[in-house]
Amino acid sequence: MSTAPASSSDPVGDDGPLDAYSETVIRVAQAVTPHVAAIEMTGNRRNGRFRVGAGSAVLFTEDGYLLTNAHVVAGTQKGRAVFADGSGTDLEVVGADPLSDLAVIRGRAPRVPPAEFGDAESLRVGQLVIAVGNPLGLAGSVTAGVVSGLGRAIPVWAGRNRRVIEDVIQTDAALNAGSSGGALADARSRIVGINTAVAGAGLGLAVPINTTSRRIISALLADGRVRRAYLGVVSTPIRLGASAVVRTGQRDGLRVVEVLSGSPAEQAGLRAGDVLLRAGSRSVSNAESLQKLLFAEAIGVPMTIAILRDGREQEVVAMPGEMADGS
């Protein structure tokens, strides 16, 4: 049995898919790496400043604003960033939002242009993504993988408030300590996520760049914090029964597990066992869909909530209050 040499069109040859894949990763790495800085956050003590934490950050404006994780800058106000070209700048924290794990920091205007943000809403499972950061202090490290899952949620706490970071991206691109705050880019070199956590071996998570996170970034730039409304309900997603689907036109809802004492929800007459269907005319089927409605503009504004109670649909009107910092 004879064999023939591989031709130039052979898929395993030099011009095959593996080479095309490599070229894409190389091109994205070259485009994104200059925008990603290694950061070191410091605190004060009697004998001088000391290191509190380290990670990565992504330059997103021409005048020196960078995006990172809230947990990277927690408890600090100052730090230093070093870019891939060796240039560095002192940093100050502009604002941080633990409930989204996003923070904005600022240094002096850099020599490199800002990164281009994409839209994580367009991502698909299986799509190529490239992570750039500083894992284990190794500056400018690049890893590649695919989007393993979309719409994941990370539970987080701020004081006694439990919320979830919504629509988190799951990827198998390798992430390690120090990757937090780094860039997750698509094949067009657009930043679609900020790497936030290592959930386990071969599993990484990133906060998406989408409409919600853009609102958070804008609030941090303007006010240094994110104002949120709250209703005061603890809920869990449920699938509605067949008869309820026919009556309501919805397949899913949120069952109220607990109503906090003295909360806007209690004042509106909501009680455990109610099923939330709509809030402000929008369907709610999970915690994320409700949270999207509870930003600053909802504070003190009457919100009509459609519920199922004892098999009948009815409406109540709640007046969302403001979530106090650390409350």
Side-chain angles (χ1 to χ4, degrees), residues 259-285:
V259 177
L260 302 184
S261 177
S263 68
E266 184 184 59
Q267 295 169 12
L270 287 172
R271 57 191 191 220
D274 289 343
V275 177
L276 307 185
L277 300 172
R278 295 179 299 280
S281 77
R282 296 190 180 184
S283 298
V284 291
S285 57

Side-chain angles (χ1 to χ4, degrees), residues 42-294:
T42 57
N44 289 317
R45 58 169 54 142
R46 290 183 179 179
N47 58 350
R49 301 191 66 80
F50 67 100
R51 173 175 165 169
V52 176
S56 309
V58 181
L59 179 72
F60 69 99
T61 73
E62 293 181 350
D63 51 351
Y65 286 94
L66 300 98
L67 188 62
T68 186
N69 289 146
H71 75 262
V72 172
V73 303
T76 69
Q77 287 298 320
K78 303 288 184 181
R80 185 162 180 80
V82 178
F83 290 92
D85 65 359
S87 62
T89 178
D90 291 332
L91 298 170
E92 62 178 4
V93 177
V94 175
D97 180 45
L99 293 178
S100 65
D101 200 21
L102 291 175
V104 172
I105 53 181
R106 186 182 187 184
R108 68 174 180 268
R111 297 187 298 200
V112 297
E116 177 188 355
F117 280 168
D119 185 2
E121 298 293 341
S122 65
L123 290 177
R124 299 175 63 184
V125 172
Q127 183 174 335
L128 172 67
V129 284
I130 295 92
V132 180
N134 304 282
L136 306 176
L138 301 173
S141 293
V142 176
T143 58
V146 298
V147 174
S148 304
L150 294 167
R152 307 303 195 207
I154 307 173
V156 293
W157 291 85
R160 291 178 296 171
N161 292 312
R162 182 184 184 276
R163 292 171 71 94
V164 294
I165 303 174
E166 50 189 71
D167 297 331
V168 170
I169 303 163
Q170 177 188 335
T171 174
D172 65 352
L175 302 175
N176 290 285
S179 295
S180 289
L184 188 71
D186 64 14
R188 296 176 62 182
S189 305
R190 299 171 302 186
I191 312 304
V192 292
I194 299 297
N195 300 321
T196 187
V198 180
L203 178 62
L205 301 171
V207 178
I209 299 297
N210 57 18
T211 301
T212 300
S213 58
R214 288 174 186 270
R215 292 175 66 183
I216 290 169
I217 294 166
S218 295
L220 293 175
L221 287 169
D223 304 318
R225 69 187 185 101
V226 179
R227 296 180 65 212
R228 285 184 170 86
Y230 88 105
L231 287 173
V233 295
V234 179
S235 60
T236 186
I238 65 163
R239 179 60 59 91
L240 301 182
S243 60
V245 171
V246 172
R247 291 196 304 274
T248 66
Q250 292 185 212
R251 294 184 177 275
D252 304 286
L254 279 175
R255 182 181 296 280
V256 176
V257 177
E258 180 183 358
V259 177
L260 302 184
S261 177
S263 68
E266 184 184 59
Q267 295 169 12
L270 287 172
R271 57 191 191 220
D274 289 343
V275 177
L276 307 185
L277 300 172
R278 295 179 299 280
S281 77
R282 296 190 180 184
S283 298
V284 291
S285 57
N286 51 43
E288 294 83 6
S289 60
L290 184 59
Q291 285 179 15
K292 288 178 180 178
L293 304 177
L294 296 176

